[in-house]
C-alpha cells in the first residue's frame, strides 16, 4: 500500500523501520484527480517560468497544499527506481462580481453572469521538481463546474505519478498556476537510502551500495569508500542549495576501494556526495545514489557562517551570500554612536528563514546611517551590517522615537535608549525625558525623519545636534574667558612675553608652512663660555618656528652611540625632512678644518668625548668638496670672536653670517621659502639678539678671552 511521507519521515528517525513501497509499472507519467474534477497532463516537460503575480479576474483555481509519497517505478521485477508522487490540493480563489443594485429592485440577473456561473473553472497548474542533477517541470490542466464551488472552498486534488530521484537525495518541489495569482507553494524533502526501505531486491544501486565512513585526522577529513575491487563508479561532490541550482564541485571516475581527503575548511552542511554506478558494462552511469553526510556537522556549520557575507544594497536593499541555505532570521536594529549593543526594532524583517543569494527589500520609507541589519541563528548574533556607511556617513547622535497607535487612533511616543523605550514627558532621569517637550515639538514641526510606518506603529529619527551644542556653549564660553584673562596678564606683565605672543600671532597668520623646519647646530666645544653662548642661541631659535638639535641636549645619546654615529643619524634625519645644518665657526673649529684639509685622507681625532664637530668633518667636508652643500648648510660666527676672513674659503660656497649683527639674514636663510615678511624677520632678530647678547658679552669680557680679536685673526690667518 502507499506510504504517506510523514509516516516515512517518522520511520527514518532514530529507530528506522524497513518499509515497502507501492510499485508503478512502465515509464509513462500519469495524472489523476479526485471526483468532481477533470484533469489532463500535457505531453513532455515545459519551461519553468513562474512570472509575476497578477490579479484574478474572478474565481480561479489555485494550489493550496502539496503532499508527497514515495513509490517505485519498475521496468522489470528487479529493475526499479525510487519515484516521488505529488498530490496538489486545489481551492477557489476570488469571487463573482455581483451586479450593483439590480437584484435589490427585482430586476433580472445579467445573462452573461449566469452563463459564466454555469461554465467551468479551469486552471493550468505547473509542478516543478529539482533533485541534483535533474530538474523538470510538468503542466496539468484542471477544471471543475463553476456552479459546484464557492469562493475559498476546497474542490479536491490532483495526483501526479511521478518524479524519479536518487536514493538519499534532497528534492525540492514547487507548484503555481499560469498565470500566477499567488505565491508559489514549495516543499523540500530528504529521500531515504537503501537501509530505510525494503528495496534491496528491486533497486540495482542497492546491490553495489558502498559503505561510506567519514573520519577526521587533524585538519583533514577522510571519506573512506568500501566497495569491491572491480566495481567501477563515478564520484561527485556538489553543493545542494535550496535557492538556486546545485553547484558541482568535484568529479572523478574511480574503481575499487577509495579514500578521499578533504580539508576541514571545505565542509559545508549542503556538501553532498553522489555515486554513479556502472551496474552493467554496456550501461555506464545507469544508477545514481546520493548522501549528504555533513548536515549536522558543527564544523560545517561554522564554515558556513564564516563564508557568509551580508551586503546592503542602495537604496533599500540587502543580500546575504552563502554557499548553502542558512537557518537564520534577519532583523532591523538601531545602533547608537559610542558603542553598545544594536537595539532591535519593530517591525522585524519577515521571520521566515533568510533567502540566501537573493536581493531583498527593506520595509523602510527613508534610510539612516544608524539603521543596521542583524542576522541571527538560534538566538545567536552571527552577522551585522549598518546601512550604507560609505554613502550615508558615520553614525549620528539622533534620537529614535517609536510611535504606537491603538484602534481608536490614540497614539503614544517613547524614545529608544540603552535602558529601554522611555516615554516622552516622563519624570525619568534620562536624556530623552529631560528633552521630551522639545522632541515632541520637533516631531510636530516636521524636523524629524520618518523611517517606517504602518497602521499601528511608526519610527522617527530626530536630530540632537542643537541640544548638544547648547549644553556645551557655557563650557566653551568659560574656557574662552579664562584664556583671555591669561592672555591679558602675560601681555601687560612682561615686554618679552608680549613680543613672543606678537611673533606667535604673525606665525599663525603666515600659515603652517612657516613652522617646524629642522636645524642641526654643529660647533667645536672649546670652553664652557662658548658652550653657554651656543646654548643661548639654540634656546632662542627654539622659540621660533624651528626644531633645533644640538649635542648639548643629547649628552646621553652621544655617550651611548659615540659622536660620529650620533651626527650621522641627526644629519640624515635633518636633511630628509628638508632641514638645514648650521656650522658655527670658532677659532678652534677653523683650526680643525684646516688640519683636515691639509691631511686629506685622515680624520682628525675628536677633541673630547662629546665633540660632534670633529667627528662630523669626515661627512661635512665631502659635501662641500662635491658641491652638495648649497641649500643644505649655513655658516655662522660670532661678532668679536672671529673675523670673516678667517672662515676657510671652501665653506664660503654657502651663506656665512656674523651673529648677532646679521641675524635677519641668518634667520631668513633658516626659514623655508615663502616665509615671513621683512618686518616679522626684524622682530624675530631683535628677540634672538636680546637672548644672545648677554652670553656673548660675558664670553668677550672673560679673562684669557679666546676670542680676542688679535688671537681670532691670528688663528684664522
Amino acid at each position: 500500500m502507499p506510504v504517506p511521507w510523514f509516516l516515512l519521515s517518522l520511520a527514518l528517525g532514530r529507530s528506522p523501520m524497513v518499509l515497502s513501497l507501492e510499485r508503478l509499472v512502465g515509464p509513462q507519467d500519469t495524472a489523476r484527480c479526485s471526483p468532481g474534477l477533470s484533469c489532463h497532463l500535457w505531453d513532455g516537460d515545459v519551461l519553468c517560468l513562474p512570472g509575476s503575480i497578477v490579479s484574478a479576474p474572478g474565481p480561479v483555481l489555485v494550489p493550496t497544499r502539496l503532499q508527497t509519497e514515495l513509490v517505485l517505478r519498475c521496468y522489470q521485477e528487479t529493475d526499479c527506481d525510487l519515484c516521488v508522487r505529488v498530490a496538489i490540493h486545489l481551492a477557489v480563489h476570488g469571487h463573482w462580481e455581483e451586479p450593483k443594485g439590480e437584484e435589490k429592485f427585482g430586476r433580472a440577473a445579467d445573462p452573461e453572469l449566469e452563463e459564466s456561473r454555469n461554465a467551468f473553472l479551469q486552471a493550468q497548474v505547473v509542478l516543478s521538481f529539482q533533485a541534483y542533477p535533474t530538474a523538470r517541470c510538468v503542466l496539468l490542466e484542471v477544471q471543475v463546474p463553476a456552479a459546484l464551488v464557492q469562493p475559498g472552498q476546497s474542490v479536491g486534488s490532483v495526483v501526479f505519478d511521478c518524479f524519479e530521484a536518487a536514493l538519499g537525495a534532497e528534492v525540492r518541489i514547487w507548484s503555481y498556476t499560469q498565470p500566477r495569482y499567488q505565491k508559489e507553494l514549495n516543499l523540500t524533502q530528504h529521500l531515504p537510502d537503501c537501509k530505510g526501505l525494503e528495496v534491496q531486491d528491486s533497486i540495482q544501486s542497492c546491490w553495489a551500495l558502498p559503505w561510506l565512513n567519514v573520519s577526521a585526522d587533524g585538519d583533514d577529513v577522510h571519506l573512506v569508500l568500501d566497495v569491491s575491487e572491480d566495481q567501477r563508479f563515478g564520484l561527485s561532490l556538489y553543493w545542494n542549495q535550496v535557492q538556486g541550482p546545485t553547484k558541482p564541485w568535484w568529479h572523478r571516475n574511480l574503481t575499487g576501494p577509495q579514500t578521499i581527503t578533504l580539508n576541514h575548511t571545505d565542509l559545508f552542511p549542503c556538501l553532498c556526495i553522489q555515486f554513479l554506478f556502472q551496474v552493467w558494462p554496456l550501461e555506464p552511469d545507469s544508477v545514481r545514489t546520493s548522501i549528504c553526510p555533513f548536515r549536522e556537522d558543527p564544523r560545517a556549520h561554522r564554515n558556513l557562517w564564516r563564508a557568509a557575507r551580508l551586503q546592503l544594497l542602495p537604496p533599500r536593499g540587502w543580500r546575504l551570500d552563502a554557499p548553502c541555505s542558512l537557518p537564520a532570521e534577519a532583523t532591523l536594529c538601531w545602533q547608537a554612536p559610542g558603542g553598545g549593543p544594536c537595539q532591535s526594532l519593530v517591525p522585524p524583517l519577515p521571520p521566515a528563514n533568510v533567502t540566501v543569494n537573493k536581493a531583498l527589500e527593506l520595509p523602510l520609507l527613508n534610510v539612516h546611517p544608524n539603521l543596521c541589519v542583524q542576522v541571527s541563528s538560534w538566538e545567536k548574533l552571527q552577522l551585522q551590517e549598518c546601512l550604507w556607511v560609505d554613502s550615508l556617513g558615520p553614525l549620528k547622535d539622533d534620537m529614535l522615537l517609536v510611535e504606537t497607535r491603538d484602534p481608536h487612533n490614540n497614539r503614544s511616543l517613547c524614545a529608544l535608549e540603552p535602558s529601554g523605550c522611555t516615554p516622552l514627558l516622563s519624570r525619568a532621569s534620562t536624556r530623552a525625558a529631560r528633552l521630551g517637550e522639545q522632541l515632541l515639538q520637533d516631531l510636530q514641526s516636521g524636523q524629524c525623519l520618518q523611517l517606517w510606518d504602518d497602521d499601528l506603529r511608526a519610527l522617527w529619527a530626530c536630530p540632537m545636534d542643537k541640544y548638544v551644542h547648547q549644553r556645551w556653549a557655557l563650557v566653551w564660553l568659560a574656557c574662552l574667558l579664562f584664556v583671555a584673562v591669561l592672555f591679558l596678564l602675560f601681555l601687560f606683565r612682561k615686554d618679552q612675553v608680549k613680543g613672543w605672543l606678537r611673533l606667535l600671532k604673525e606665525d599663525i597668520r603666515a600659515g603652517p608652512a612657516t613652522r617646524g623646519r629642522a636645524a642641526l647646530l654643529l660647533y667645536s666645544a672649546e670652553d664652557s663660555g662658548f658652550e653657554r653662548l651656543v646654548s643661548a642661541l639654540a634656546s632662542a631659535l627654539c622659540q621660533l618656528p624651528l626644531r633645533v638639535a644640538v649635542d648639548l641636549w643629547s649628552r646621553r645619546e652621544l655617550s651611548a652611540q659615540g659622536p660620529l654615529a650620533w651626527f650621522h643619524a641627526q644629519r640624515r634625519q635633518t636633511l630628509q625632512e628638508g632641514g638645514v645644518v648650521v656650522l658655527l665657526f670658532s677659532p678652534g673649529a677653523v683650526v680643525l678644518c684646516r688640519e683636515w684639509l691639509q691631511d686629506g685622507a685622515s680624520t682628525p681625532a675628536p677633541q673630547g668625548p662629546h665633540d660632534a664637530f670633529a667627528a662630523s668633518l669626515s661627512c661635512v667636508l665631502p659635501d662641500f668638496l662635491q658641491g652638495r652643500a648649497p641649500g643644505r648648510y649655513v655658516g655662522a660666527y660670532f661678532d668679536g670672536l672671529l673675523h670673516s676672513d678667517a672662515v676657510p674659503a671652501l665653506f664660503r660656497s654657502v651663506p656665512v653670517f656674523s651673529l648677532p649683527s646679521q641675524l635677519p639674514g641668518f634667520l631668513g636663510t633658516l626659514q623655508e621659502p615663502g616665509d615671513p615678511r621683512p618686518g616679522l624677520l626684524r622682530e624675530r632678530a631683535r628677540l634672538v639678539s636680546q637672548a644672545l647678547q648677554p652670553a656673548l658679552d660675558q664670553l668677550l669680557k672673560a679673562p684669557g678671552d679666546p676670542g680676542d680679536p688679535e688671537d681670532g685673526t691670528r688663528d684664522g690667518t
Side-chain angles (χ1 to χ4, degrees):
M1 60 176 289
V3 180
W5 194 290
F6 71 93
L7 291 178
L8 179 61
S9 62
L10 290 176
L12 297 177
R14 295 184 178 178
S15 301
M17 298 170 54
V18 177
L19 301 175
S20 60
L21 302 178
E22 178 184 351
R23 291 170 173 260
L24 304 179
V25 179
Q28 295 298 321
D29 295 335
T30 60
R32 64 181 186 277
C33 46
S34 57
L37 297 178
S38 60
C39 53
H40 170 68
L41 174 64
W42 278 37
D43 295 335
D45 291 353
V46 297
L47 293 177
C48 303
L49 300 174
S52 302
I53 297 177
V54 299
S55 299
V60 292
L61 290 178
V62 294
T64 59
R65 186 162 56 96
L66 292 176
Q67 280 187 312
T68 55
E69 182 180 319
L70 287 183
V71 295
L72 291 177
R73 168 168 283 171
C74 298
Y75 308 96
Q76 296 179 6
E77 182 67 22
T78 59
D79 184 10
C80 301
D81 288 325
L82 193 63
C83 212
V84 180
R85 170 183 289 165
V86 183
I88 311 167
H89 294 263
L90 303 171
V92 178
H93 174 75
H95 59 275
W96 302 106
E97 293 186 0
E98 297 291 342
K100 297 182 180 180
E102 293 187 2
E103 294 186 357
K104 181 184 296 185
F105 298 101
R107 299 183 183 178
D110 188 351
E112 295 183 0
L113 179 61
E114 290 296 328
E115 182 179 353
S116 62
R117 289 185 175 180
N118 293 328
F120 287 87
L121 292 182
Q122 183 172 340
Q124 291 187 336
V125 180
V126 176
L127 200 55
S128 176
F129 178 86
Q130 182 178 338
Y132 180 82
T134 304
R136 293 186 59 194
C137 277
V138 297
L139 182 63
L140 302 165
E141 284 190 352
V142 185
Q143 63 179 14
V144 60
L148 301 180
V149 298
Q150 295 295 329
Q153 175 186 350
S154 176
V155 298
S157 61
V158 180
V159 177
F160 171 77
D161 283 330
C162 60
F163 293 114
E164 295 182 14
L167 290 164
E170 183 178 78
V171 300
R172 305 176 194 89
I173 303 170
W174 293 268
S175 180
Y176 52 88
T177 59
Q178 288 186 341
R180 189 158 65 98
Y181 302 116
Q182 63 182 18
K183 185 178 179 180
E184 64 269 18
L185 300 179
N186 64 84
L187 178 66
T188 300
Q189 293 288 354
H190 299 285
L191 302 185
D193 56 20
C194 297
K195 300 177 183 179
L197 300 172
E198 193 179 277
V199 294
Q200 288 85 347
D201 296 333
S202 303
I203 299 180
Q204 295 176 358
S205 61
C206 292
W207 302 352
L209 185 67
W211 177 262
L212 174 63
N213 181 41
V214 181
S215 62
D217 180 15
D219 290 341
D220 294 331
V221 177
H222 302 294
L223 307 179
V224 181
L225 307 175
D226 186 9
V227 298
S228 59
E229 293 288 342
D230 57 349
Q231 175 65 54
R232 292 183 296 170
F233 62 96
L235 181 67
S236 296
L237 301 179
Y238 64 95
W239 288 299
N240 196 20
Q241 295 181 318
V242 173
Q243 294 93 12
T246 54
K247 293 184 178 180
W249 178 44
W250 185 89
H251 176 80
R252 293 288 187 277
N253 291 320
L254 305 170
T255 302
Q258 298 288 335
T259 299
I260 309 299
T261 301
L262 304 176
N263 191 278
H264 73 282
T265 58
D266 297 328
L267 304 185
F268 292 103
C270 62
L271 180 61
C272 298
I273 307 168
Q274 184 174 80
F275 305 97
L276 300 90
F277 294 102
Q278 297 179 348
V279 179
W280 306 110
L282 299 180
E283 298 181 11
D285 298 347
S286 59
V287 180
R288 300 172 184 262
T289 186
S290 299
I291 185 173
C292 303
F294 307 109
R295 289 194 186 109
E296 308 299 331
D297 193 315
R299 296 168 300 177
H301 284 274
R302 286 195 296 268
N303 292 339
L304 177 58
W305 281 111
R306 291 192 187 105
R309 295 292 180 268
L310 178 60
Q311 302 180 56
L312 297 175
L313 311 172
R316 298 180 185 88
W318 68 286
R319 176 188 176 100
L320 181 62
D321 292 320
C324 312
S325 60
L326 286 166
E329 292 185 357
T331 57
L332 280 175
C333 64
W334 180 264
Q335 180 66 65
C342 194
Q343 297 174 278
S344 297
L345 297 180
V346 177
L349 298 178
N353 286 349
V354 174
T355 302
V356 300
N357 306 324
K358 179 180 180 181
L360 303 172
E361 195 76 12
L362 293 171
L364 296 172
L365 299 177
N366 294 286
V367 295
H368 192 282
N370 293 30
L371 286 174
C372 304
V373 175
Q374 289 182 335
V375 178
S376 304
S377 176
W378 305 107
E379 300 183 354
K380 179 182 178 182
L381 178 62
Q382 300 285 358
L383 299 170
Q384 177 177 314
E385 192 74 21
C386 292
L387 296 187
W388 316 292
V389 175
D390 295 337
S391 58
L392 296 181
L395 300 176
K396 295 183 178 180
D397 188 21
D398 290 358
M399 185 68 70
L400 185 73
L401 301 184
V402 181
E403 178 183 350
T404 305
R405 310 184 188 101
D406 61 17
H408 303 290
N409 205 27
N410 297 320
R411 67 175 188 169
S412 61
L413 288 166
C414 66
L416 192 65
E417 295 185 293
S419 58
C421 204
T422 305
L424 295 186
L425 308 179
S426 69
R427 296 183 179 180
S429 58
T430 64
R431 182 173 68 159
R434 290 192 299 267
L435 300 174
E437 293 185 1
Q438 293 92 322
L439 290 172
L440 189 58
Q441 292 174 2
D442 291 345
L443 180 62
Q444 294 172 348
S445 61
Q447 299 182 40
C448 299
L449 178 68
Q450 188 173 26
L451 304 179
W452 176 78
D453 187 27
D454 71 358
D455 295 337
L456 299 179
R457 297 181 185 88
L459 298 177
W460 304 83
C462 298
M464 299 291 289
D465 295 343
K466 58 182 179 181
Y467 303 115
V468 175
H469 294 162
Q470 291 174 3
R471 180 179 179 181
W472 289 99
L474 293 177
V475 177
W476 283 112
L477 181 60
C479 293
L480 290 175
L481 289 175
F482 179 72
V483 172
V485 170
L486 289 179
F487 179 79
L488 291 175
L489 288 175
F490 280 106
L491 185 65
F492 293 107
R493 185 177 178 87
K494 195 173 182 180
D495 291 340
Q496 187 174 2
V497 174
K498 180 179 177 181
W500 287 119
L501 291 175
R502 184 166 61 253
L503 189 60
L504 178 61
K505 180 180 178 182
E506 294 293 337
D507 289 342
I508 294 175
R509 290 179 177 176
T514 64
R515 296 189 291 275
R517 193 181 189 192
L520 173 61
L521 303 187
L522 293 180
Y523 69 99
S524 177
E526 300 186 2
D527 57 22
S528 59
F530 190 77
E531 286 188 343
R532 283 195 298 270
L533 180 60
V534 174
S535 179
L537 175 63
S539 300
L541 293 178
C542 283
Q543 303 301 322
L544 306 179
L546 290 172
R547 292 179 289 111
V548 179
V550 63
D551 63 352
L552 285 170
W553 301 341
S554 305
R555 295 297 195 193
R556 182 175 299 176
E557 290 83 353
L558 276 171
S559 299
Q561 302 177 14
L564 186 60
W566 181 86
F567 167 73
H568 273 295
Q570 294 296 326
R571 172 181 172 274
R572 181 173 62 253
Q573 180 179 353
T574 300
L575 297 181
Q576 286 178 349
E577 295 176 357
V580 62
V581 179
V582 180
L583 302 177
L584 295 177
F585 290 101
S586 64
V590 171
V591 171
L592 289 174
C593 291
R594 288 182 173 176
E595 289 178 357
W596 196 96
L597 291 173
Q598 290 173 0
D599 287 345
S602 63
T603 302
Q607 302 301 302
H610 306 305
D611 196 341
F613 187 86
S616 66
L617 289 178
S618 61
C619 294
V620 171
L621 292 178
D623 285 346
F624 282 88
L625 293 172
Q626 298 174 12
R628 298 195 303 266
R632 307 168 75 182
Y633 291 84
V634 174
Y637 59 93
F638 293 101
D639 296 340
L641 293 183
L642 194 69
H643 194 275
S644 61
D645 294 337
V647 177
L650 176 65
F651 296 98
R652 295 176 191 170
S653 60
V654 300
V656 180
F657 300 94
S658 179
L659 306 181
S661 59
Q662 296 179 344
L663 265 173
F666 176 70
L667 297 180
T669 303
L670 294 184
Q671 303 294 333
E672 293 181 339
D675 268 1
R677 303 181 299 275
L680 181 58
L681 277 178
R682 285 194 297 271
E683 178 65 19
R684 290 177 172 174
R686 185 182 67 82
L687 294 172
V688 175
S689 180
Q690 289 178 356
L692 188 62
Q693 195 65 48
L696 181 59
D697 292 342
Q698 184 179 3
L699 180 61
L700 292 175
K701 293 177 182 178
D705 176 20
D708 181 87
E710 294 182 2
D711 293 341
T713 305
R714 183 175 60 252
D715 291 340
T717 58

